[in-house]
Amino acid sequence: EPDADPQADPRTHRRPDRAGPPGLVVHGTKDRFVPFAQSVLLVEALRAAGRQVAAVQVRGGGHGGPSVWTPQVLNIVDDFLRQHLS
């Protein structure tokens, strides 16, 4: 959004001078507070900066809660953490 505060945009805080840790972005397609397109932009920006990022689109998921944190998504998060923290 053109009028949005740049400090509220996570892309503003990426550090192109270092790769940073791998990331996992989980976003519901029915989020009423943060447009899904924001996650797409974030993932693209992080990848362009050399970051390893996985993205999970939760069809019909809202802004958190049970509609997003389904057993399937929790398994993805568990796998991601096991892969990157072991």
Side-chain angles (χ1 to χ4, degrees):
E1 279 183 39
D3 297 331
D5 182 348
Q7 294 301 310
D9 185 344
R11 294 174 299 165
T12 303
H13 303 287
R14 71 185 193 279
R15 298 276 313 262
D17 58 324
R18 58 184 169 152
L24 175 64
V25 176
V26 177
H27 200 133
T29 59
K30 299 278 187 180
D31 188 330
R32 294 179 299 133
F33 301 104
V34 179
F36 182 80
Q38 290 297 101
S39 283
V40 173
L41 293 172
L42 174 61
V43 168
E44 289 173 353
L46 291 172
R47 287 181 178 160
R51 293 278 299 275
Q52 180 184 357
V53 180
V56 178
Q57 177 186 54
V58 183
R59 292 195 184 277
H63 189 77
S67 69
V68 172
W69 300 112
T70 65
Q72 295 86 356
V73 172
L74 292 174
N75 284 335
I76 292 168
V77 172
D78 184 62
D79 290 343
F80 178 86
L81 292 173
R82 288 178 189 278
Q83 177 184 357
H84 295 289
L85 295 179
S86 54

